[in-house]
Amino acid sequence: MTVLHLRAAGTSLVLDARGAAVPTILHWGADLGEIPLPEVADALVPAVPPSSIDVPLRLSLLPSLFEGWTGRPSLSAAPAAAFQLVSAHSQDNTASVRATSSDSAQEVITELEMSAEGVLRIRHRLINNGPAALDLSALDVLLPIPADAAELLDFSGLWSHERQPQRAPLRHGVWSRESRHGRPGHDDAFLMMAGEPGFGFRSGRVWAVHLAWSGDKRIWAERSALGYGVLGAGELLAPGEIKLAPGESYTTPWLVAVFSDAGIDGLSDRLHPWIRSRSSLRHPRPVVLNTWEAVYFDQDLSLLSDLVDAAADVGVERFVLDDGWFTGRRDDKRALGDWYVDPDVWPDGLHPLISRVQAKGMDFGLWVEPEMISPDSSLAEEHPDWILDHGPTWRWQRVLDLSVPGAYDYLLERLTALLTEYPIAFLKWDHNRDLLVPGVSHRQTTALYRLLTELRAAFPHLEIESCASGGARIDLGILDLVDRFWTSDTNDPLDRQRIQRWTGVLIPPEYLGGHLGAATAHVTGRTSALGFRLATALFGSAGIEWNLTAATPAERTRMAAWITEYKRLRPLLHSGRVVRAGDHLHGVVAQDRSQALYALVAIGSPSTALPAPVRFPGLAPDRRYTVRPIGTPPKVVQDAPPAWLAAGSVTLPGRVLSEVGLPMPLLAPEQALLLDIEVC
């Protein structure tokens, strides 16, 4: 055996795989370069403290009590077992480690991958080679973090207020975030970061982990009194949920781990290119109009035809028919599961509507919620045994058990029939409640993945959006199977600014649906200026959720101009580097640094009469750039604008723009200024 070193793009992982013990993780963090690996491994053997085990304590890939680790173990199973190394090898920045119990009844194979972007992925596979069943309680991936990773940042939230950041010091003990929703949930920890105290978007060393899984899970940080600190994550298993018969195996979800020496933006600098390198996403991303907040359940061919015409007039490219099209669905209290076009509402099917959509140069999308069933539905009456839960309803609906072959086959048949009869380019796939049944998340999630995989294989040009009461299922597990996330059910731009900022740390903007809503937000009742709404929806996969037939001619003109600008900018927005500076500035910089778009956002009232100049991160220091405002001019509270803005533009070196910055206009609250910056 040997010492293994995976390294790329400024990141290293070093494993000491010498001897009979499970390999020790010596280092995960900054790139160590070409080093004498055995000598380094020998030098990093720690002391033996008093009142402890009589050999040095080292953190392995499978830390457990058998090794002297009294923190949360990697593997919890009955019967418990100590493991020893069988083999370890690496090639092309991947590694595989095989360990078995002393009686060879249990075997764990660990896969490790380091991407070209410095993103580390790890997963375990547990195999039951013994003669009896193996009860698995937990199998998690743990990674060490250094002592100066002393501050945590993760997320909580609730419906329409997802990805709310929270910070805390990492003290002795465990900070554990557990999701029992059957989906990640609005309060999903999402991405757990441990960093140097005070780390920000542009500063500090940060270590972060995300679990690529769409079901129940736990993610945690622990600082042991023994001295080690760890980040860990794994599927959250209920008692009895995984029982391995002889010969069966269980594979964990991938743990995605990222190190940055340049703050939170440094995490995105690795994650976004890595996700894009794996993506089959088709470009350009179309401008969407979704009918939900435009008409709700009031579906009518004449009404929707007018909306189609209005959407085409402003430049929309995809028209999505939301909830209300299937048999008996006149409100949200009935008919989920009866996935047949309602002949009373659509006597000629959806063909007349789709024909009008296509005649106007748009493609067509359709809302579905396949994993759910209404008690008041023909499907529930015919197949009550397909219903997963019988506790309280949630949004007057229950969960369809996808592990039942008949239920799974029914969904596959119904969706296949719809996609075959109609030219549907896009499915908005919703999931509007928690499961609330212990011990079913694993089988339901794996069945969902299988269903999505089958549909995508049968309809390779179909695009799917993951929606779960808004943003309750945004993760890298389902991302391999979908093309868009509905970031939140709120279209209120004030809330959206915060939600999109933090969701975008992990997910590139082209995946994050952001829609222009009505002046008065349907969720919050707050009224916002059109310019603020337009600027907020611009940075992502843009769309509209507004009854355009009720908009004024002036509003439609401004929308058309906004869509034209979006189409011009989306090659930049959907391929560039995302940058952030504090709570007020965010932007996207072209990979070759020839162009950038920034948004200066006033979330609330200013704290000073004359704010400091705004600096623009990410520009090339030795190139000259012209800065000019675009879009709807924001409302300001000032007697005169900055001189450069009064002149209409300014040209300066990137070094000046990045290090000194520019004075900004004094924005009124809930306003945004868009700044287009190009090399001259």
Side-chain angles (χ1 to χ4, degrees):
M1 305 302 177
T2 186
V3 181
L4 308 180
H5 189 189
L6 308 183
R7 55 187 293 254
T11 300
S12 280
L13 177 81
V14 181
L15 289 175
D16 187 353
R18 301 174 299 174
V22 176
T24 297
I25 307 172
L26 299 180
H27 172 77
W28 166 50
D31 185 17
L32 301 180
E34 296 291 341
I35 56 174
L37 291 169
E39 290 90 336
V40 170
D42 290 341
L44 292 178
V45 176
V48 177
S51 189
S52 71
I53 60 173
D54 295 325
V55 294
L57 175 64
R58 308 177 79 189
L59 196 74
S60 79
L61 283 172
L62 295 169
S64 70
L65 282 171
F66 294 104
E67 301 173 350
W69 170 249
T70 55
R72 180 177 282 180
S74 175
L75 173 61
S76 295
F83 284 80
Q84 57 192 16
L85 180 62
V86 174
S87 63
H89 63 271
S90 64
Q91 183 178 6
D92 299 329
N93 251 357
T94 66
S96 178
V97 176
R98 179 170 168 251
T100 63
S101 58
S102 57
D103 60 0
S104 300
Q106 299 178 37
E107 178 180 350
V108 174
I109 298 173
T110 302
E111 300 173 75
L112 306 98
E113 300 177 357
M114 180 77 76
S115 78
E117 300 79 13
V119 175
L120 175 65
R121 292 203 306 168
I122 307 179
R123 68 180 177 184
H124 299 305
R125 181 182 176 215
L126 173 64
I127 306 168
N128 181 10
N129 292 324
L134 179 64
D135 288 321
L136 179 63
S137 298
L139 182 54
D140 302 318
V141 175
L142 280 69
L143 283 169
I145 53 175
D148 50 0
E151 184 177 20
L152 297 176
L153 190 158
D154 66 3
F155 300 90
S156 187
L158 60 157
W159 175 73
S160 78
H161 296 282
E162 298 90 342
R163 256 77 62 203
Q164 299 299 305
Q166 54 186 13
R167 285 181 180 258
L170 178 55
R171 301 186 175 96
H172 285 183
V174 178
W175 172 257
S176 185
R177 300 293 310 286
E178 300 182 350
S179 169
R180 292 180 175 83
H181 303 289
R183 56 183 183 174
H186 298 102
D187 61 347
D188 181 26
F190 191 56
L191 181 71
M192 183 169 284
M193 307 174 220
E196 296 172 322
F199 69 90
F201 283 115
R202 311 289 303 168
S203 63
R205 294 192 303 161
V206 188
W207 293 256
V209 295
H210 168 86
L211 191 71
W213 180 245
S214 308
D216 289 353
K217 60 183 178 179
R218 64 179 183 176
I219 182 168
W220 79 91
E222 180 171 8
R223 179 71 65 191
S224 170
L226 297 172
Y228 285 105
V230 299
L231 291 173
E235 185 179 3
L236 183 63
L237 300 174
E241 188 167 4
I242 298 295
K243 185 186 290 286
L244 300 179
E248 291 184 336
S249 66
Y250 166 83
T251 301
T252 70
W254 284 106
L255 178 86
V256 178
V258 192
F259 165 75
S260 165
D261 59 5
I264 298 169
D265 277 4
L267 302 176
S268 300
D269 285 342
R270 298 188 188 282
L271 288 161
H272 291 184
W274 173 67
I275 290 169
R276 287 166 174 162
S277 74
R278 297 160 42 83
S279 172
S280 60
L281 202 62
R282 290 186 290 277
H283 290 278
R285 307 306 303 140
V287 180
V288 172
L289 184 136
N290 184 279
T291 66
W292 179 240
E293 289 190 358
V295 301
Y296 289 100
F297 291 102
D298 188 17
Q299 294 192 1
D300 170 84
L301 179 58
S302 176
L303 175 66
L304 287 169
S305 294
D306 291 342
L307 188 58
V308 168
D309 294 346
D313 287 345
V314 299
V316 168
E317 298 162 306
R318 172 170 289 164
F319 188 92
V320 180
L321 183 65
D322 210 286
D323 196 359
W325 58 267
F326 49 98
T327 304
R329 185 68 164 178
R330 303 282 63 79
D331 55 36
D332 58 4
K333 296 179 175 62
R334 67 201 82 247
L336 286 173
D338 298 343
W339 301 111
Y340 296 85
V341 176
D342 193 326
D344 294 333
V345 178
W346 302 99
D348 297 314
L350 297 176
H351 296 290
L353 178 64
I354 297 176
S355 295
R356 193 175 190 100
V357 168
Q358 293 184 325
K360 291 291 184 176
M362 298 179 286
D363 65 28
F364 180 78
L366 192 66
W367 179 95
V368 292
E369 193 173 2
E371 298 156 81
M372 298 297 154
I373 182 171
S374 299
D376 184 3
S377 66
S378 297
L379 186 65
E381 183 178 348
E382 295 169 9
H383 296 285
D385 54 314
W386 290 0
I387 299 175
L388 185 63
D389 67 305
H390 294 278
T393 56
W394 178 313
R395 201 174 181 255
W396 297 281
Q397 63 194 53
R398 298 195 184 280
V399 181
L400 190 70
D401 191 345
L402 301 188
S403 69
V404 175
Y408 181 96
D409 293 343
Y410 168 78
L411 283 183
L412 184 60
E413 183 277 326
R414 281 289 77 224
L415 293 168
T416 298
L418 288 165
L419 294 167
T420 301
E421 180 176 358
Y422 298 107
I424 297 170
F426 174 85
L427 288 179
K428 178 182 176 182
W429 189 295
D430 215 337
H431 183 285
N432 274 310
R433 63 158 289 172
D434 289 359
L435 297 192
L436 302 183
V437 181
V440 302
S441 172
H442 179 82
R443 76 188 199 211
Q444 190 78 355
T445 304
T446 54
L448 167 67
Y449 286 177
R450 183 162 57 94
L451 179 60
L452 290 170
T453 300
E454 287 201 58
L455 283 173
R456 292 182 71 93
F459 302 94
H461 298 294
L462 175 70
E463 294 192 352
I464 299 174
E465 177 181 63
S466 172
C467 174
S469 317
R473 188 160 63 190
I474 298 180
D475 64 83
L476 297 183
I478 204 167
L479 184 60
D480 288 339
L481 301 168
V482 301
D483 307 274
R484 192 178 197 248
F485 289 116
W486 183 229
T487 318
S488 177
D489 270 351
T490 184
N491 289 313
D492 184 321
L494 186 62
D495 290 331
R496 272 287 185 146
Q497 282 285 338
R498 300 185 181 100
I499 295 167
Q500 291 172 186
R501 168 181 291 262
W502 289 106
T503 308
V505 173
L506 176 65
I507 306 295
E510 60 267 29
Y511 287 94
L512 298 177
H515 289 179
L516 171 69
T520 299
H522 290 207
V523 168
T524 65
R526 182 164 37 221
T527 299
S528 302
L530 179 57
F532 188 42
R533 286 147 48 215
L534 292 170
T536 300
L538 184 68
F539 287 84
S541 178
I544 299 171
E545 198 152 340
W546 184 8
N547 185 358
L548 299 187
T549 64
T552 67
E555 287 173 329
R556 289 201 212 178
T557 298
R558 289 172 67 185
M559 268 186 276
W562 169 72
I563 289 176
T564 298
E565 196 74 277
Y566 171 75
K567 290 176 180 178
R568 178 183 75 86
L569 291 166
R570 65 185 165 189
L572 165 67
L573 294 170
H574 298 166
S575 67
R577 177 188 177 207
V578 174
V579 295
R580 311 164 189 89
D583 294 330
H584 303 292
L585 187 80
H586 67 91
V588 180
V589 181
Q591 296 294 339
D592 64 1
R593 299 197 283 184
S594 64
Q595 181 187 9
L597 180 71
Y598 295 90
L600 176 69
V601 182
I603 298 296
S605 299
S607 58
T608 60
L610 195 62
V614 168
R615 295 182 293 175
F616 300 93
L619 302 177
D622 297 323
R623 303 176 81 174
R624 291 178 62 81
Y625 294 89
T626 297
V627 184
R628 64 182 180 91
I630 62 171
T632 302
K635 182 179 179 181
V636 296
V637 184
Q638 61 190 19
D639 293 336
W644 75 268
L645 195 56
S649 66
V650 67
T651 299
L652 291 169
R655 192 181 311 277
V656 173
L657 293 171
S658 297
E659 298 297 332
V660 180
L662 287 174
M664 288 291 119
L666 307 181
L667 302 185
E670 299 179 36
Q671 297 288 317
L673 172 67
L674 295 176
L675 295 169
D676 190 22
I677 299 183
E678 294 190 19
V679 164
C680 59

